[in-house]
C-alpha cells in the first residue's frame, strides 16, 4: 500500500508539471541590427512552440509522512505567446529592445495505470495566459557587400497562469488529490547568424544556445476518508536540450514597415514565429 501510494502520487505530480509549465522558448527575430543610430520602432511578435523539459524536486505527503526527491521528463508541451516590443538604435550596428506580453501552456495528459487493476486517469489541462517580459540586444559585427554577420542575446521571464487540480486515486476511490501549481522561470537565448540582405528582403540562419532556469511549486492536499493531509512539491526546471539552429526571413514594405518569420529547433523543441516592426519617420528631427 505504501509503495503503491508513492508511485501514484509521483505520477500525479508529473501531471502537475505538464499542466502548468509553459514551454520556454521566445521569438528572436533578425539576429542583426535593423535600426540606424537614433531610430526607434514599435512592433509585435507571436510564436508557437513545443518543448521537452526536465524537472526535479522534493515531494512531501503529510498523510504518509513520507518525502522523496523525484525527477520528471516533460514531453510535447505546446505554448502560444504574444509580445509588444520597443526597440532603439544605439548606433548603426547595435540595437536594444524590450518586450511585454503573455504566454500560455496546454497539453492532453494521462495518469497511467501503475497496476493491472488500476483505472487510467485522463484529463485536459490549460495553464492559461500569464505575464511575460523580456529585454535583449542585437548587433551586426561585420559586412561584406550583401552579406553580414551578427548576433542576438535576450532574456525572457515567463509566469503563466496557475493550474488547478482535482483527481481521484485510481486504486482508492475515496481518496482525492487537489491543489494548485505555480510556475515562473527565466529563459536566456544567445544566437549567431549569417544574413543576406537586399534593399527589400533579408534571410538568415545560424546556431543558438538556450538556457532555462525556474521554479515550480505544487501546493495541495490528499483527502482519504475523514483524513486530510498536505501534499507539497517544489522543483527546479531545466531545458532538455541547449543547442539548436534558427533560420528566418524578412521583407521591408517601404521605409517604415518590416515583416519577418522564423523557425527555431533544438533536439527537444521547435518554434515558429512571426513579427512586425513600424519605424516612425525621423524627417525634420
Amino acid at each position: 500500500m505504501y509503495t503503491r501510494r508513492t508511485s501514484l502520487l509521483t505520477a500525479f505530480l508529473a501531471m502537475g508539471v505538464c499542466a502548468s509549465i509553459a514551454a520556454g522558448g521566445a521569438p528572436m527575430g533578425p539576429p542583426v541590427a535593423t535600426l540606424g543610430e537614433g531610430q526607434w520602432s514599435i512592433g509585435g511578435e507571436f510564436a508557437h512552440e513545443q518543448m521537452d523539459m526536465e524537472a526535479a524536486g522534493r515531494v512531501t505527503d503529510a498523510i504518509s509522512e513520507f518525502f522523496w526527491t523525484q525527477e520528471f521528463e516533460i514531453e510535447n508541451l505546446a505554448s502560444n505567446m504574444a509580445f509588444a516590443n520597443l526597440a532603439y538604435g544605439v548606433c548603426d550596428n547595435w540595437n536594444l529592445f524590450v518586450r511585454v506580453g503573455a504566454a500560455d501552456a496546454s497539453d492532453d495528459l494521462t495518469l497511467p495505470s501503475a497496476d493491472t487493476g488500476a483505472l487510467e486517469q485522463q484529463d485536459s489541462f490549460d495553464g492559461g495566459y500569464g505575464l511575460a517580459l523580456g529585454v535583449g540586444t542585437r548587433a551586426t559585427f561585420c559586412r561584406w557587400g550583401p552579406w553580414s554577420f551578427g548576433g542576438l542575446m535576450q532574456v525572457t521571464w515567463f509566469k503563466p497562469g496557475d493550474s488547478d487540480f482535482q483527481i481521484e486515486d485510481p486504486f482508492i476511490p475515496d481518496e482525492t488529490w487537489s491543489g494548485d501549481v505555480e510556475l515562473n522561470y527565466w529563459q536566456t537565448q544567445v544566437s549567431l547568424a549569417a544574413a543576406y540582405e537586399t534593399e527589400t528582403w533579408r534571410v538568415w540562419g545560424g546556431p543558438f544556445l538556450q538556457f532555462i532556469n525556474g521554479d515550480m511549486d505544487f501546493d495541495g492536499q490528499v483527502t482519504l476518508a475523514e483524513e486530510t493531509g498536505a501534499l507539497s512539491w517544489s522543483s527546479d526546471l531545466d531545458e532538455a536540450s541547449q543547442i539548436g539552429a534558427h533560420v528566418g526571413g524578412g521583407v521591408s514594405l517601404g521605409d517604415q514597415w518590416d515583416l519577418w518569420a522564423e523557425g527555431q529547433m533544438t533536439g527537444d523543441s521547435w518554434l515558429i514565429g512571426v513579427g512586425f516592426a513600424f519605424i516612425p519617420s525621423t524627417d525634420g528631427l
Side-chain angles (χ1 to χ4, degrees), residues 35-234:
L35 299 172
E37 183 176 357
Q39 285 187 311
W40 61 279
S41 69
I42 55 174
E45 303 160 307
F46 175 82
H48 174 82
E49 184 179 34
Q50 289 194 1
M51 176 178 281
D52 297 344
M53 297 185 72
E54 297 172 351
R58 173 168 162 156
V59 181
T60 303
D61 178 359
I63 288 183
S64 63
E65 297 182 352
F66 183 72
F67 63 86
W68 70 99
T69 298
Q70 179 65 52
E71 295 183 356
F72 301 105
E73 292 185 358
I74 306 152
E75 299 181 353
N76 300 322
L77 295 177
S79 178
N80 299 301
M81 61 200 76
F83 296 96
N85 64 64
L86 176 67
Y88 178 73
V90 179
C91 63
D92 289 343
N93 294 318
W94 181 28
N95 300 165
L96 301 175
F97 63 88
V98 295
R99 57 163 57 121
V100 59
D104 75 343
S106 62
D107 199 6
D108 292 327
L109 304 173
T110 300
L111 175 62
S113 59
D115 184 89
T116 306
L119 298 176
E120 186 175 73
Q121 301 290 313
Q122 293 181 327
D123 206 342
S124 289
F125 295 88
D126 189 346
Y129 280 94
L131 184 64
L133 303 170
V135 62
T137 182
R138 49 174 53 94
T140 301
F141 304 137
C142 52
R143 303 178 190 270
W144 300 279
W147 290 94
S148 60
F149 179 71
L152 174 145
M153 182 174 68
Q154 65 181 21
V155 179
T156 311
W157 177 71
F158 294 89
K159 191 181 187 304
D162 297 349
S163 293
D164 300 326
F165 292 91
Q166 183 168 335
I167 192 169
E168 293 182 357
D169 188 323
F171 289 97
I172 309 172
D174 58 349
E175 179 174 283
T176 301
W177 306 325
S178 59
D180 299 311
V181 175
E182 181 183 67
L183 167 72
N184 69 86
Y185 68 95
W186 293 89
Q187 182 232 27
T188 301
Q189 290 174 297
V190 180
S191 74
L192 296 173
Y196 185 89
E197 304 178 60
T198 70
E199 290 185 1
T200 58
W201 55 270
R202 174 192 295 117
V203 294
W204 64 84
F208 75 96
L209 298 175
Q210 69 177 13
F211 306 95
I212 299 172
N213 287 289
D215 301 305
M216 177 177 292
D217 298 314
F218 177 90
D219 290 314
Q221 63 182 15
V222 178
T223 304
L224 177 60
E226 300 297 325
E227 187 178 6
T228 298
L231 179 67
S232 63
W233 177 57
S234 181

